[in-house]
Amino acid sequence: MKSLYTQIVIVCVSLVAVTAISIQTASWWLASEHNKSLLQEQIAGANKSLLHYLQVRQSSLVSSSIVLAADFGFKQAVATRHEPTINTMLMNHGRRIDVELMLLTDKSGQALASNGIQLKPRDYRRLHDKLAGNPLTPTFMALDNHVYRLFAIPVEAPVTIAYLFVGFEVNKVLLNQLKDSIGLNLSFVSAKGDYLVSTLDQHVFELDASLLTIDDADWGFGFGRRWETREIMLDKTEAPSVRLLAHADLSAYNDDFKRLTYIIIGLSSVILLLAFISGSRLARRISNPHSALHRELLFRAHHDALTGMLNRGAALDKIAQEVKRAQREKSIYCLFVCDVDHFKQINDQYGHLAGDAVLEEIATRLAKALRDYDVIGRYGGEEFVVGVKVSEPKSRDIGQRLRKAVNGSPIVGKNFSVDITISIGGQLIYPDDEFDTLNEVIEYADQALYRAKKNGRDQVELSSSAMPTKRRVNR
């Protein structure tokens, strides 16, 4: 009996010990795999968040900078090398579009003017050699130990006479905002591995060289390793001048794993309870809900920064969806392009801030004149695009309603009061009228808009052009 009792005790204790160890081992393995998957998702999230941010900033900067490069006064100043005028225009435009760097070089890469940024001659040459051959193609560059997102625009009169370089700085504030969103430390380093800007202090790099060691294998976890580093590829270039690294801090995980190991060895009788508590704590630590910054980036990616309405891409996507729905329902859809008359005169007479206030008020009036399910967005500059489902006889009435909503009363600002009119061109889309892209439809609406402008402005014109058929609408 005593021997049987001993055997039962041994079996029971062994079963409890084996069960506890098995549960703890399984818990550690599941948590480890979950961490691997989560960190991979965080890397993808970091890439997506950065791309969203860059697309929003670049879209606005490119369109604004093209306007400057095409400005007659600016091109005249460049052609005559009137440096005071060029510097003033660069500084004013840089402040208006909120960029830190605006530079102008001649065709050979020699510096002509800037918005106050002082670079070494060799940096101007680097900019020219890297960007002039690929206009409007943005890239990251390190200049004077600062990281910039840059692109080049040729100044043509009509041949290329100079290059305009525009860029905004990627600083520690931005990286910390992204870190709060994705839960990973981020660093920009030079191609040689020199520290440029990071969410980590520079002395951390000096103490731990593994931060610059890229591990291309699966995410690993083990004792003694503090950092796991991966490179995020944003620019598809063969030899980037800067690299973006993401760092996962494994110290918290390693501490937990050591603690669990000691508990298995010394406290097998209570290991199940400790596994539950430790697993809960670990789950709370690795959870990463979407932050306010991430939601803000998504909003900015789809909305115009000035008016708050849909931006060009988002508006055209929405209109394409509504066109497909209307065609399925055998309904008629109308796309309007609205252009503010003589808007440049407002900017010239009252300033760009007044022009911005006018655009905001126009956007408000147009939106109030539409139904909740109609689509409106800022197409670019002083143009708006509107999409409505409507019967053919009512299409012109809606265009007139939009026109009257704008010119019904003066727009009054702090130091100005102006009467505003808009010209509108529209294109009806019938159930059988289908196109490869909405750009084809916009071309017809633009033709009608041109007639409205030509006939005296403050008018609504509908396109009478025939529509292609039996082709699928696709944004």
Side-chain angles (χ1 to χ4, degrees), residues 23 40 172 237 408 449:
I23 291 174
Q40 290 171 340
K172 191 166 186 175
T237 58
L449 175 62

Side-chain angles (χ1 to χ4, degrees), residues 131-418:
L131 298 178
N134 297 287
L136 301 180
T137 301
T139 188
F140 287 104
M141 285 191 68
L143 300 171
D144 196 22
N145 292 324
H146 294 272
V147 178
Y148 295 94
R149 184 68 168 175
L150 295 157
F151 59 88
I153 298 176
V155 181
E156 299 175 339
V159 298
T160 300
I161 60 174
Y163 287 96
L164 175 64
F165 299 95
V166 182
F168 60 89
E169 183 179 0
V170 180
N171 53 31
K172 191 166 186 175
V173 174
L174 172 59
L175 291 184
N176 276 317
Q177 290 175 338
L178 292 169
K179 173 191 172 183
D180 293 339
S181 174
I182 64 176
L184 294 174
N185 284 285
L186 298 171
S187 302
F188 275 98
V189 298
S190 69
K192 297 179 180 180
D194 297 326
Y195 177 95
L196 294 174
V197 62
S198 173
T199 55
L200 299 169
D201 292 332
Q202 186 171 359
H203 72 83
V204 177
F205 275 82
E206 296 172 352
L207 294 175
D208 193 342
S210 66
L211 284 166
L212 295 176
T213 302
I214 309 300
D215 186 359
D216 293 326
D218 290 338
W219 289 85
F221 297 83
F223 294 125
R225 182 164 53 179
R226 171 69 187 275
W227 299 103
E228 189 79 28
T229 300
R230 285 289 180 89
E231 184 170 3
I232 298 178
M233 305 297 296
L234 292 175
D235 290 332
K236 297 180 180 180
T237 58
E238 294 182 359
S241 60
V242 296
R243 300 159 60 204
L244 175 59
L245 307 180
H247 314 287
D249 188 349
L250 303 183
S251 59
Y253 174 82
N254 286 331
D255 291 342
D256 288 342
F257 180 67
K258 290 178 181 178
R259 185 162 47 252
L260 291 176
T261 302
Y262 298 148
I263 291 172
I264 291 173
I265 295 174
L267 302 173
S268 59
S269 61
V270 293
I271 196 67
L272 293 175
L273 178 60
L274 292 178
F276 174 78
I277 296 174
S278 299
S280 299
R281 291 175 59 190
L282 188 59
R284 286 195 298 270
R285 289 183 181 182
I286 62 176
S287 62
N288 184 27
H290 292 293
S291 67
L293 172 62
H294 184 64
R295 291 193 295 270
E296 181 181 353
L297 289 173
L298 290 178
F299 180 86
R300 291 183 179 180
H302 294 90
H303 291 79
D304 177 58
L306 176 64
T307 62
M309 60 175 48
L310 293 176
N311 60 25
R312 175 175 179 165
L316 293 183
D317 283 339
K318 182 64 175 178
I319 289 174
Q321 296 172 10
E322 294 300 318
V323 169
K324 292 178 183 178
R325 179 180 295 135
Q327 290 174 331
R328 288 196 301 268
E329 298 172 355
K330 304 300 180 183
S331 300
I332 299 174
Y333 200 82
C334 188
L335 185 146
F336 293 103
V337 177
C338 310
D339 186 89
V340 183
D341 297 326
H342 303 298
F343 181 72
K344 186 176 184 300
Q345 296 179 6
I346 298 173
N347 280 334
D348 293 342
Q349 184 174 356
Y350 300 105
H352 288 278
L353 291 179
D356 289 347
V358 168
L359 287 177
E360 290 184 83
E361 177 61 22
I362 290 173
T364 300
R365 294 184 181 186
L366 289 174
K368 288 182 179 179
L370 295 171
R371 300 163 294 190
D372 291 340
Y373 51 85
D374 294 330
V375 182
I376 182 171
R378 186 178 179 190
Y379 190 69
E382 65 270 22
E383 287 189 323
F384 299 87
V385 61
V386 175
V388 296
K389 187 169 71 172
V390 65
S391 63
E392 184 173 356
K394 293 286 187 181
S395 58
R396 187 174 294 275
D397 293 340
I398 291 180
Q400 293 291 353
R401 188 170 72 206
L402 292 170
R403 183 184 66 83
K404 293 176 181 178
V406 173
N407 68 9
S409 61
I411 295 179
V412 180
K414 184 176 181 181
N415 298 313
F416 67 90
S417 176
V418 293

